[in-house]
């Protein structure tokens, strides 16, 4: 896959995927609860593709060569892994930022 194709499918350049994976603290290999194993970059790409364009999991079969149940498990595992690692960034935000009813916003 060339860089322009990667950018159009996943919204990231090919060279940015390892950097993104490291920034998200994804492991090199992901093991699903039923024993399915996939690489961290592949799992990231599956999740990115699902977020970049709304599509059915069956639409991803030609790209990733995995059956729908595996794609579902991998996508869920990547999202859960990212959430477990970074949920504090959301849950510890300032309440006034998250609750617009409590803000004192002045219009000019």
């Amino acid at each position: 896959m060339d860089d322009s194709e990667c950018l159009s499918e996943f919204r990231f350049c090919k060279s940015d995927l390892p950097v993104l994976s490291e920034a998200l603290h994804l492991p090199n290999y992901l093991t699903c609860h039923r024993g399915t194993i996939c690489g961290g970059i592949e799992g990231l790409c599956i999740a990115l593709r699902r977020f970049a364009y709304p599509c059915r999991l069956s639409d991803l079969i030609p790209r990733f060569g995995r059956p729908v149940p595996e794609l579902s498990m991998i996508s869920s595992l990547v999202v859960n892994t990212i959430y477990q690692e970074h949920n504090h960034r959301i849950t510890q935000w300032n309440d006034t930022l998250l609750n617009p009813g409590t803000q004192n916003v002045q219009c000019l």
Side-chain angles (χ1 to χ4, degrees), residues 3-103:
D3 203 40
S4 62
E5 189 178 3
C6 187
L7 183 62
S8 70
E9 289 222 11
F10 307 121
R11 302 292 182 154
F12 283 91
C13 294
K14 193 173 184 178
S15 60
D16 293 336
L17 293 175
V19 176
L20 181 60
S21 178
E22 185 178 329
L24 293 173
H25 301 242
L26 291 177
N28 291 332
Y29 293 96
L30 299 163
T31 305
C32 298
H33 66 277
R34 292 197 177 183
T36 301
I37 298 172
C38 88
I41 299 291
E42 181 186 7
L44 176 62
C45 288
I46 291 169
L48 286 175
R49 180 66 169 94
R50 293 278 291 164
F51 288 136
Y53 299 100
C55 61
R56 295 185 177 114
L57 288 168
S58 60
D59 297 337
L60 302 180
I61 293 172
R63 169 61 63 200
F64 297 102
R66 292 181 178 266
V68 169
E70 285 186 15
L71 291 168
S72 176
M73 287 187 291
I74 292 167
S75 178
S76 295
L77 181 61
V78 170
V79 171
N80 289 339
T81 302
I82 293 170
Y83 180 77
Q84 288 173 359
E85 183 68 30
H86 299 283
N87 71 46
H88 67 280
R89 297 181 194 283
I90 297 171
T91 58
Q92 293 178 358
W93 275 353
N94 187 344
D95 188 46
T96 58
L97 178 69
L98 295 175
N99 189 355
T102 62
Q103 292 183 7

